[in-house]
Amino acid sequence: MDLKSLIRDIPDFPKPGILFRDITTLLRDAAGLRHAIDSLADKLDGAGLNAEYIVGIESRGFIIGAALAYKLGIGFIPVRKPGKLPSLVHSVEYELEYGMDKLEVHQDALQPGSRVLIVDDLIATGGTACATAKLVQQIGCDLVGFGFIVELQDLAGRQNLPDVPIVTLVEY
């Protein structure tokens, strides 16, 4: 199946000069969504990562990550923006091109030594994925890899990530 045909291009979003790769059109297509999840699960399983948990990055990483966790029979942990989680959290600040941001995970969500796979819909510059990796590593987890549906290769995001397997389905 041609997943690229199900991903919509939106020029000048969120600002002029950016070509946004919108996966909501892929998500609405039942066969496309099933194919994307099944294909990503097969590639991740084939990589022998043996993850215990998928950590999904807010917000589209929740959709992809939860479906993958179900398919792989492992747990799902959400990483959220500040103020969204009701219990005590671990947090990490990271730099954006226009300032700082923060990500949080519940303190009781992961234990040191947990084998974690980080999942999001897309990797661009890798900033948010890198921050999520730092967050799980500061907890003492074993980061086993990353999974993304889309990779924007010109932005070289994978060069900003730790040296673990990175699995993608569609490259632009």
Side-chain angles (χ1 to χ4, degrees), residues 101-157:
D101 208 347
K102 185 188 262 188
L103 294 171
E104 299 178 337
V105 65
H106 275 139
Q107 286 183 3
D108 62 356
L110 294 164
Q111 301 302 315
S114 298
R115 295 180 55 79
V116 171
L117 170 67
I118 296 173
V119 170
D120 206 355
D121 65 322
L122 179 142
I123 179 170
T125 63
T128 306
C130 184
T132 304
K134 288 178 183 172
L135 180 61
V136 300
Q137 289 174 322
Q138 80 184 25
I139 295 168
C141 296
D142 182 14
L143 176 61
V144 299
F146 293 91
F148 305 98
I149 291 179
V150 175
E151 179 176 7
L152 303 180
Q153 292 179 319
D154 289 347
L155 297 177

Side-chain angles (χ1 to χ4, degrees), residues 93-96 98-102:
E93 282 193 340
Y94 66 105
E95 195 169 339
L96 301 168
Y98 50 84
M100 299 295 289
D101 208 347
K102 185 188 262 188

Side-chain angles (χ1 to χ4, degrees), residues 2-169:
D2 179 17
L3 292 178
K4 278 188 177 181
S5 70
L6 298 174
I7 298 170
R8 174 174 43 192
D9 294 342
I10 301 178
D12 298 321
F13 184 84
K15 61 184 185 178
I18 302 291
L19 179 60
F20 187 81
R21 305 296 182 168
D22 179 22
I23 68 154
T24 61
T25 47
L26 167 65
L27 297 175
R28 79 173 177 207
D29 186 282
L33 177 59
R34 180 180 301 270
H35 180 76
I37 297 301
D38 289 347
S39 297
L40 198 50
D42 288 346
K43 286 180 87 171
L44 290 165
D45 197 40
L49 304 178
N50 299 316
E52 297 172 278
Y53 300 100
I54 287 179
V55 168
I57 303 171
E58 187 169 341
S59 68
R60 289 175 300 274
F62 294 175
I63 299 164
I64 305 308
L68 275 172
Y70 174 80
K71 177 79 176 171
L72 295 172
I74 61 178
F76 176 78
I77 310 294
V79 167
R80 309 252 6 223
K81 301 285 174 130
K84 304 278 185 159
L85 295 172
S87 190
L88 299 175
V89 296
H90 293 292
S91 63
V92 65
E93 282 193 340
Y94 66 105
E95 195 169 339
L96 301 168
E97 62 187 60
Y98 50 84
M100 299 295 289
D101 208 347
K102 185 188 262 188
L103 294 171
E104 299 178 337
V105 65
H106 275 139
Q107 286 183 3
D108 62 356
L110 294 164
Q111 301 302 315
S114 298
R115 295 180 55 79
V116 171
L117 170 67
I118 296 173
V119 170
D120 206 355
D121 65 322
L122 179 142
I123 179 170
T125 63
T128 306
C130 184
T132 304
K134 288 178 183 172
L135 180 61
V136 300
Q137 289 174 322
Q138 80 184 25
I139 295 168
C141 296
D142 182 14
L143 176 61
V144 299
F146 293 91
F148 305 98
I149 291 179
V150 175
E151 179 176 7
L152 303 180
Q153 292 179 319
D154 289 347
L155 297 177
R158 72 172 50 226
Q159 295 175 4
N160 297 317
L161 299 180
D163 187 21
V164 295
I166 300 168
V167 174
T168 63
L169 294 181

